[in-house]
Amino acid sequence: MSQGRRHSRTRTGCLTCRSRKKKCDEARPRCAGCRRNMLDCTWPNYVAWDGRGQTDTMQPLPDVYQPDNQKSMDHQAQAEVSPSLGRNPSIYTGDNRACALTPHSVLLLGHFARETVSFFAMTPLQNNPLLTLLMPLGYMDDLLMHSLLALGGAHLTHKNPTNMALADTTRLHYAKLLGGLRGEIAHLNDNDMQCKERLLCVLVITCLYEIVSGNTQGAIFKHLHASRGLILSLLDHRSTRNTSSTVNCETLSFSIELYRYLVFSNTLTPHGITPERSLPLDPFLANIGKPEIALASSLEPIFAGTCGLFRLVPLISVMASQRLNEESQGLDAPSPNLARMGDDIYNRIQSWRLDYRYQEGDGDRREQINRVVEMIRLGLYIYLKSALAGSVISDAADLCTIQDHISQLFSYAHKVLASQYTAILLWPVVIAGSCTLIPEEQNVLLHEIYSMKYGMKHMAIVGDVLQLLWKDPDPRAYGPYGLHFIMQKHGLSVGLA
């Protein structure tokens, strides 16, 4: 067979299109092909010709399962962990089987401790429960350690997309995690509260993994439903018996706060409109500070004192669902009863004040937290106004009011989105982004999302979904209802964390 003529391939497209052997339109920061297929769009930092038509940014590492190849790890991956190793090398060695699963597991752990934990808690590193509470427990618990390693790996592999060894290691830890969860849940003794508390902690970390890894098929909600069952059982048992001797109260409190955060942050659409995304509004979601679920520390490491505002999110979500029901019955405007409920929630948003006991440090930190509070408050105003409008917002006055809130929110965004409070700001930013009609604001928001310093995959997916929303001509493609409309239309179920 005669060989056809060889054609030279472009070397100026993104790495993802090159690896898929697809033509790249070279649009930055995300090319059209990566946006369309919900893929990472990565670009080489440099091009180093090796004489064979390859660049060293595309060369994969040796087989991750061969210990002799550990010395061949690239310098970039080594740099991810070396600062932490230098401070305390002993924590990365020892007998923990999860940490020793592959030669590259240590890199995942180092990245988790150095960068990933900072994203998910609004406290200084020395008070971060992911680092100070869960990591020490992980050294005594392989299943928990697999969850931490998988989470750190999901973050690290997104930042190093051509490193196949790190990707393989992450997948292996995730497989061990799922296999262990299935086995332990299948054989769980209903009276074993200690095991339930431990599995709850692993499950909520698994939720974070599903989001950070870029899962768009709703895997997080399956884990959240399982977590809810464990929480209800633990709280019921704790209210009737003294379980302090068998349950780690500090871990339980943090797991419940993380569950709340995940439920509130992923309440983006009217309640119940997408059954698999909807979780029951249990009392423990709203009863902040009740003795049976009081946090061991009053700092609220995830919410930074804003949980009282966030607990209004599901209430507005229920109102949105009720408004859609009224709309289906032919009501062009909210009923008097629903309008009164809206006024009540508006007043609660407006009158809520941050308890400064939750703040630490100097005035700059206090000023940042105040900006965070205002962004969440504005996000709630936008969510409430759009919820009362129904599936299509046609009233010009409502649109103007929403746009004013969006402009105010974005005026704070550039000052705090690069801070340690990024995670709890994703919900108001996405709500505002779903409603903005101004192209300049859309472009600025996309730039902020795609260039956030933490570089997590789910942020890029959020940017892609917002672009789908903005480009869709259907009048329903607007606001929280529009997010539901777009996700249903494209078969997506996006998670925030």
Side-chain angles (χ1 to χ4, degrees):
M1 179 181 293
S2 61
Q3 292 183 334
R5 181 182 175 184
R6 291 187 178 182
H7 297 276
S8 61
R9 288 190 295 153
T10 178
R11 307 237 169 236
T12 56
C14 75
L15 297 176
T16 308
C17 287
R18 288 192 229 174
S19 65
R20 298 174 65 230
K21 298 181 180 179
K22 300 292 184 180
K23 185 177 180 180
C24 180
D25 68 353
E26 301 182 30
R28 300 202 185 203
R30 290 175 71 76
C31 71
C34 289
R35 288 198 306 270
R36 184 171 57 254
N37 294 285
M38 298 290 174
L39 299 173
D40 294 332
C41 190
T42 56
W43 298 84
N45 294 323
Y46 59 90
V47 177
W49 190 260
D50 68 358
R52 295 171 296 175
Q54 296 288 331
T55 61
D56 52 8
T57 56
M58 292 293 291
Q59 293 174 4
L61 296 187
D63 190 344
V64 68
Y65 304 111
Q66 297 178 12
D68 292 340
N69 290 325
Q70 185 173 5
K71 295 181 180 180
S72 301
M73 287 186 287
D74 61 294
H75 296 298
Q76 181 181 6
Q78 287 277 21
E80 293 290 344
V81 72
S82 56
S84 297
L85 283 170
R87 287 193 298 270
N88 188 3
S90 64
I91 68 170
Y92 294 102
T93 59
D95 297 328
N96 183 271
R97 291 173 297 177
C99 293
L101 186 62
T102 82
H104 299 86
S105 298
V106 63
L107 297 178
L108 275 55
L109 184 62
H111 187 81
F112 172 82
R114 195 173 67 131
E115 293 193 27
T116 309
V117 297
S118 298
F119 180 78
F120 291 110
M122 312 305 121
T123 62
L125 202 59
Q126 63 268 25
N127 297 325
N128 189 320
L130 287 163
L131 190 64
T132 62
L133 176 63
L134 299 195
M135 271 191 64
L137 291 175
Y139 282 104
M140 300 179 288
D141 186 333
D142 283 349
L143 189 59
L144 176 58
M145 183 59 79
H146 281 306
S147 71
L148 303 180
L149 291 169
L151 176 57
H155 187 195
L156 182 58
T157 53
H158 178 64
K159 302 184 78 170
N160 297 270
T162 61
N163 192 322
M164 297 299 104
L166 295 177
D168 287 344
T169 299
T170 300
R171 284 191 291 267
L172 185 57
H173 284 292
Y174 179 61
K176 293 283 188 180
L177 167 62
L178 285 188
L181 275 173
R182 292 191 187 104
E184 296 211 24
I185 290 175
H187 299 92
L188 179 62
N189 184 326
D190 192 53
N191 294 318
D192 191 343
M193 296 297 120
Q194 188 174 19
C195 185
K196 287 185 177 182
E197 176 267 313
R198 169 177 165 267
L199 289 176
L200 171 63
C201 182
V202 174
L203 275 170
V204 290
I205 297 299
T206 306
C207 290
L208 294 181
Y209 167 84
E210 300 292 1
I211 295 171
V212 174
S213 66
N215 182 284
T216 59
Q217 301 306 309
I220 171 186
F221 298 100
K222 296 178 181 178
H223 301 316
L224 284 176
H225 280 285
S227 299
R228 173 182 177 265
L230 291 174
I231 292 173
L232 291 175
S233 177
L234 285 161
L235 293 183
D236 178 65
H237 194 274
R238 192 172 182 183
S239 66
T240 57
R241 300 174 179 84
N242 180 13
T243 61
S244 58
S245 60
T246 59
V247 171
N248 187 326
C249 297
E250 189 176 10
T251 308
L252 175 60
S253 295
F254 179 68
S255 297
I256 291 176
E257 186 184 1
L258 184 51
Y259 174 87
R260 281 177 176 154
Y261 161 71
L262 289 167
V263 171
F264 295 155
S265 296
N266 286 282
T267 303
L268 298 168
T269 59
H271 183 77
I273 194 170
T274 309
E276 60 271 18
R277 290 183 66 94
S278 300
L279 287 122
L281 302 183
D282 298 297
F284 71 83
L285 286 173
N287 293 342
I288 309 301
K290 287 292 184 180
E292 67 270 16
I293 52 174
L295 294 172
S297 168
S298 62
L299 290 175
E300 286 187 5
I302 297 176
F303 287 105
T306 66
C307 192
L309 265 184
F310 267 102
R311 64 177 175 173
L312 299 176
V313 172
L315 301 182
I316 301 175
S317 176
V318 171
M319 284 189 57
S321 179
Q322 292 173 346
R323 176 66 194 113
L324 291 175
N325 185 52
E326 291 183 352
E327 185 179 87
S328 69
Q329 296 173 12
L331 293 179
D332 295 331
S335 65
N337 184 50
L338 197 62
R340 283 193 296 270
M341 291 173 60
D343 290 340
D344 176 65
I345 291 180
Y346 180 87
N347 291 331
R348 292 172 68 180
I349 298 170
Q350 192 174 43
S351 63
W352 188 88
R353 294 293 180 267
L354 181 69
D355 188 337
Y356 283 103
R357 290 179 304 166
Y358 294 118
Q359 297 188 20
E360 291 185 334
D362 56 20
D364 290 340
R365 176 173 169 82
R366 175 169 297 190
E367 186 177 354
Q368 285 284 70
I369 294 179
N370 285 335
R371 292 192 184 110
V372 168
V373 168
E374 288 311 304
M375 288 182 67
I376 298 170
R377 198 191 308 273
L378 289 163
L380 287 167
Y381 287 147
I382 296 167
Y383 197 29
L384 178 60
K385 179 64 73 172
S386 61
L388 290 172
S391 61
V392 176
I393 302 180
S394 55
D395 186 272
D398 286 344
L399 290 171
C400 287
T401 300
I402 289 174
Q403 188 57 55
D404 286 344
H405 292 322
I406 294 170
S407 298
Q408 291 179 56
L409 188 150
F410 282 177
S411 71
Y412 294 110
H414 73 281
K415 299 177 182 178
V416 288
L417 278 182
S419 71
Q420 69 182 99
Y421 304 106
T422 302
I424 58 172
L425 291 176
L426 287 181
W427 182 86
V429 165
V430 171
I431 293 299
S434 71
C435 294
T436 182
L437 299 173
I438 300 176
E440 291 79 7
E441 286 185 345
Q442 294 173 355
N443 292 333
V444 169
L445 179 56
L446 283 181
H447 174 75
E448 292 289 343
I449 289 175
Y450 289 143
S451 62
M452 283 182 181
K453 67 175 183 178
Y454 291 102
M456 292 191 174
K457 187 173 182 178
H458 66 291
M459 293 182 181
I461 292 174
V462 165
D464 294 343
V465 170
L466 287 175
Q467 289 191 78
L468 292 173
L469 181 74
W470 296 332
K471 293 176 181 178
D472 198 300
D474 194 299
R476 293 171 294 177
Y478 177 90
Y481 182 85
L483 290 172
H484 158 74
F485 174 76
I486 288 297
M487 286 193 282
Q488 288 291 103
K489 183 175 182 178
H490 295 276
L492 303 170
S493 184
V494 178
L496 292 186

